[in-house]
Amino acid sequence: MLGISTSYFAARGFSIYESVKRAQNLGFPLVELGANHDFEKDVFATLKKIRQDFPRLTFTQHGYFPPVFEKEYLLNPGQGLTAKNKQVLETMFEAVKILDTRVISFHCGTNWQASYKGNFKAIKGFKEFVPTKEIPWSLALKNLEEFFIEALKKGKEVGVKVAVENIWCLSGEKPLLITPGDFQSFFQKLPECLFLLDYAHAILNISRPDEFFLLGEKIIQMHLSGIKNDRDHWSITVGLNLENLFSQIKNLPKLPLLILEHSAEVTEKEILKEKILIENSLGKL
């Protein structure tokens, strides 16, 4: 199934409801409720209206959504089960019950605390957070594991799959999990956890990104975006070997949920072109 992240519409100034509406109007059956939205009052009422007004849509949620704090907040599993992270988890899994979310995903976290700086100059419409205090590596890894143990517990309670995403950092932090081997070790500890493969992040992080496809059945979802100016979130027609990418996806044991994840530079016309390109290569999704 092919979808789009609402972070793209949030980057262009649209509300949560309008973001979902625009995603449906572009013909996507799958919508990922992304982490780029501003705080909105009465968000659960909004989610109930979304579920009512768009009954045929399939939803995933990406950490963190919905935004629970009025001030901008970066969810970092490397900080563990802090009071704020616990509140985020409670809110996210309550939203699952309303939306009948199929997959809920979280970044793999970093070894730094961070604070909000403002809007990214390099990534149009996205929020920028900068590192402020380092977390000891061993503690950050322990925190990451405890965070996902709790997320998996909550996922089991409400019947939703939980996935961890490979990330790439612009501001000097180090992701807690980088290589396919790192993730394989993590899955051995937490076998119920699944994988959200961000292909652009993989390219930006390691020299042989296609090795991530060896994780096979663990890959339940993918983020797709192109690479230009040493960053991601562009159209997939930029900076990717699409023939190779589509071949790797076709060879997976099961087709993952595919999510276009873009910043505000990408136009809706480009997105429709991507949609046709993917459907022509992988079949109607």
Side-chain angles (χ1 to χ4, degrees):
M1 189 178 292
L2 177 61
I4 189 168
S5 170
T6 59
S7 285
Y8 165 68
F9 302 103
R12 295 169 56 205
F14 292 104
S15 68
I16 293 170
Y17 184 90
E18 284 299 319
S19 295
V20 174
K21 183 177 180 181
R22 293 184 79 89
Q24 178 176 262
N25 289 346
L26 286 174
F28 289 99
L30 171 65
V31 176
E32 178 177 87
L33 294 157
N36 194 39
H37 288 279
D38 293 329
F39 174 82
E40 295 183 21
K41 292 182 178 179
D42 302 321
V43 69
F44 284 110
T46 300
L47 298 184
K48 289 175 182 177
K49 181 171 174 56
I50 285 171
R51 184 70 279 177
Q52 175 182 311
D53 291 355
F54 308 106
R56 295 183 180 180
L57 288 182
T58 297
F59 292 102
T60 65
Q61 287 171 241
H62 191 43
Y64 84 102
F65 180 93
V68 63
F69 305 117
E70 291 193 36
K71 291 184 178 180
E72 285 79 4
Y73 181 70
L74 179 68
L75 174 64
N76 177 13
Q79 292 179 246
L81 294 173
T82 63
K84 283 191 172 182
N85 279 0
K86 286 180 180 179
Q87 191 173 346
V88 166
L89 287 174
E90 290 291 338
T91 305
M92 290 187 70
F93 283 95
E94 280 300 311
V96 167
K97 298 175 187 178
I98 297 170
L99 296 163
D100 192 24
T101 304
R102 187 162 170 183
V103 178
I104 191 166
S105 60
F106 304 92
H107 286 171
C108 66
T110 76
N111 63 322
W112 282 82
Q113 297 180 26
S115 64
Y116 177 65
K117 181 179 179 181
N119 287 333
F120 253 120
K121 292 182 180 179
I123 307 178
K124 188 175 180 182
F126 275 45
K127 298 173 173 63
E128 182 176 10
F129 294 85
V130 294
T132 56
K133 183 179 179 181
E134 189 170 6
I135 305 168
W137 189 257
S138 59
L139 176 59
L141 286 174
K142 181 174 179 289
N143 287 342
L144 172 66
E145 189 172 330
E146 289 179 352
F147 180 93
F148 271 91
I149 287 172
E150 182 67 15
L152 287 163
K153 176 185 173 184
K154 289 184 176 297
K156 189 172 183 179
E157 289 171 355
V158 297
V160 65
K161 302 292 186 182
V162 174
V164 59
E165 180 189 3
N166 61 310
I167 62 171
W168 172 72
C169 300
L170 274 173
S171 304
E173 316 98 300
K174 185 178 179 182
L176 294 173
L177 306 173
I178 298 178
T179 68
D182 292 339
F183 283 91
Q184 187 64 55
S185 296
F186 187 72
F187 296 140
Q188 287 175 355
K189 293 179 181 178
L190 301 175
E192 293 180 355
C193 189
L194 298 171
F195 186 41
L196 192 170
L197 170 56
D198 188 307
Y199 190 64
H201 290 174
I203 293 172
L204 290 165
N205 263 338
I206 65 174
S207 59
R208 294 189 288 184
D210 286 351
E211 289 185 357
F212 273 107
F213 286 103
L214 295 175
L215 293 174
E217 291 182 354
K218 281 291 182 182
I219 305 173
I220 192 171
Q221 190 172 329
M222 288 185 66
H223 279 168
L224 301 178
S225 68
I227 299 173
K228 185 172 74 170
N229 299 336
D230 298 319
R231 47 148 283 217
D232 57 343
H233 296 305
W234 300 95
S235 166
I236 65 167
T237 58
V238 178
L240 299 182
N241 181 337
L242 291 180
E243 183 178 354
N244 172 67
L245 172 60
F246 293 147
S247 175
Q248 295 285 354
I249 293 173
K250 286 178 182 177
N251 286 332
L252 287 171
K254 185 178 180 181
L255 187 68
L257 303 175
L258 303 177
I259 301 288
L260 297 174
E261 191 184 44
H262 296 319
S263 52
E265 292 96 343
V266 182
T267 67
E268 291 190 5
K269 183 177 180 180
E270 288 177 297
I271 286 171
L272 289 174
K273 181 180 177 181
E274 291 177 304
K275 186 173 182 291
I276 292 170
L277 183 62
I278 292 170
E279 289 175 346
N280 285 345
S281 298
L282 299 177
K284 188 77 172 179
L285 302 176

